[in-house]
Amino acid sequence: MELCALGIAQPLSSHILDFLKALPEYAKEKGLEWATPSEVIDKFDSVGAIDVPDTLSWVDEERDCSVWLGNQMQREAFNKLYSVADRLLIAKDPRLLQDWDYLQASNNFRFMTTKPSNWWIDRGIYDGPFDAFTNYMNILGDFISRVRTLYGGIDNEELENMLTTITNQGKEIESQADEIARLRAKLAKYEGPAEEKKAASAPSAKKPATKKPAAKKPAAKKASAKKAEPVKVEAEKAVEPAKVVEPEK
C-alpha cells in the first residue's frame, strides 16, 4: 500500500487512520497473523505454478508498466540507475545501500509519466513530469559518483569474477544447509527408538553391589602388644629393691 492512500486516496474523513489503528487488535482476536511475502514463501510450500507472461500492475486500463516506463525519460532514468547495480551487489556501506533502496521506489518513475490517465496522480513537490525527471537525474548523478568513488577501480571482468564467486559461495552454503538439515532428520530418526529402548530397560537394571567395610586386621594389635611388653619388663626390673649381702665371718 502506498503512503498516499492515507489522506489522499482515502480521505481522513473516512477514518482510515482509525481503521489502521484498530486493525492489529481485531486481527489478533480472529487469530490472524502478519507476514511478508518472503516469510510466506519460507513457511509454506508452493501448490503449483501460475503462468504470467506479461508484467501486471493495478494502474489504468492496460494494467501494465507503461505508467512507470512508458516514455523516454522514464526509461533513461531506469537504465542509468541499474547501470551500477552490479557494483551495489558487493557494497557494504549501509548509507549507500539505503539510498539505493530509495532510488528504486516506483513513484520516482511514476512522477515522470506523460501518459493520459483517468487515475489521478499526485506528483508531490513536482510541478510536472519534466521537473520530476530533472530532480531525479540530479540525485542519481550524485549517487553514481559516490558508487564510482568507492568501486570505480574495479573493471568489468574483475567484477564479473567477484559476482560469480559470491554466487557460487551462496549456492554452496545453501547446499550445505540442506545437507545439515537432512543429516539432523536422519539422526533424529535413529535416536528416537534408541531412547525409547533405553527408557524401557532402565527399571530392570541391576543395582550395583554395595561394598562392605573392610574388617580391621588383628595383626596390628599383636604387633603393638609385643612392642609394649619389653617396656613393661624393664619397668619391673627398674623398681626391684637391691639385696644386701652380709660379709662372711
Side-chain angles (χ1 to χ4, degrees):
M1 181 181 66
E2 294 182 319
L3 292 179
C4 66
L6 307 179
I8 298 178
Q10 295 290 336
L12 296 179
S13 59
S14 67
H15 301 284
I16 182 63
L17 298 181
D18 295 332
F19 169 77
L20 293 175
K21 184 178 180 180
L23 182 60
E25 189 64 28
Y26 279 94
K28 184 178 180 180
E29 292 179 0
K30 299 296 183 180
L32 301 178
E33 298 180 359
W34 304 96
T36 63
S38 298
E39 291 172 343
V40 172
I41 292 173
D42 294 337
K43 188 175 181 180
F44 300 99
D45 296 330
S46 174
V47 296
I50 299 177
D51 184 20
V52 185
D54 299 318
T55 305
L56 302 178
S57 74
W58 54 272
V59 178
D60 296 336
E61 295 180 359
E62 295 85 358
R63 295 294 192 269
D64 57 12
C65 290
S66 58
V67 73
W68 291 277
L69 299 173
N71 61 41
Q72 184 61 32
M73 292 186 299
Q74 293 169 313
R75 290 190 292 271
E76 180 181 350
F78 182 85
N79 293 332
K80 190 172 183 179
L81 172 64
Y82 285 97
S83 66
V84 294
D86 291 343
R87 282 166 170 74
L88 267 299
L89 294 177
I90 60 174
K92 300 296 182 182
D93 187 349
R95 183 59 185 273
L96 196 69
L97 294 174
Q98 184 183 54
D99 292 344
W100 169 249
D101 289 339
Y102 290 158
L103 288 168
Q104 294 179 87
S106 62
N107 273 346
N108 292 327
F109 304 96
R110 189 175 176 221
F111 293 157
M112 305 176 196
T113 184
T114 55
K115 177 184 177 182
S117 174
N118 295 327
W119 187 266
W120 175 68
I121 298 178
D122 178 24
R123 300 183 192 271
I125 62 174
Y126 306 119
D127 296 331
F130 301 100
D131 185 26
F133 172 74
T134 302
N135 186 74
Y136 182 82
M137 294 303 286
N138 288 335
I139 297 173
L140 180 58
D142 177 72
F143 175 78
I144 292 177
S145 297
R146 291 163 56 197
V147 173
R148 288 176 177 171
T149 300
L150 293 175
Y151 307 103
I154 305 175
D155 57 25
N156 292 334
E157 184 177 356
E158 183 180 357
L159 179 62
E160 185 68 25
N161 293 335
M162 292 175 64
L163 294 176
T164 302
T165 302
I166 293 173
T167 302
N168 293 338
Q169 288 178 347
K171 292 180 179 179
E172 184 178 355
I173 292 173
E174 184 178 355
S175 176
Q176 291 178 352
D178 293 340
E179 181 66 14
I180 291 173
R182 186 187 69 81
L183 293 176
R184 284 180 176 175
K186 187 175 181 180
L187 181 62
K189 181 179 179 181
Y190 286 102
E191 283 183 344
E195 291 294 334
E196 294 177 358
K197 185 177 180 180
K198 183 178 179 181
S201 60
S204 60
K206 295 183 179 179
K207 295 183 179 179
T210 55
K211 295 183 178 180
K212 295 182 179 180
K216 295 182 179 180
K217 297 180 180 180
K221 291 184 177 180
K222 291 181 179 180
S224 60
K226 289 181 179 180
K227 289 182 180 180
E229 186 175 355
V231 177
K232 183 177 180 182
V233 174
E234 291 177 357
E236 290 178 354
K237 289 182 179 180
V239 297
E240 183 179 357
K243 294 182 179 180
V244 179
V245 178
E246 295 182 359
E248 295 180 356
K249 294 180 179 181

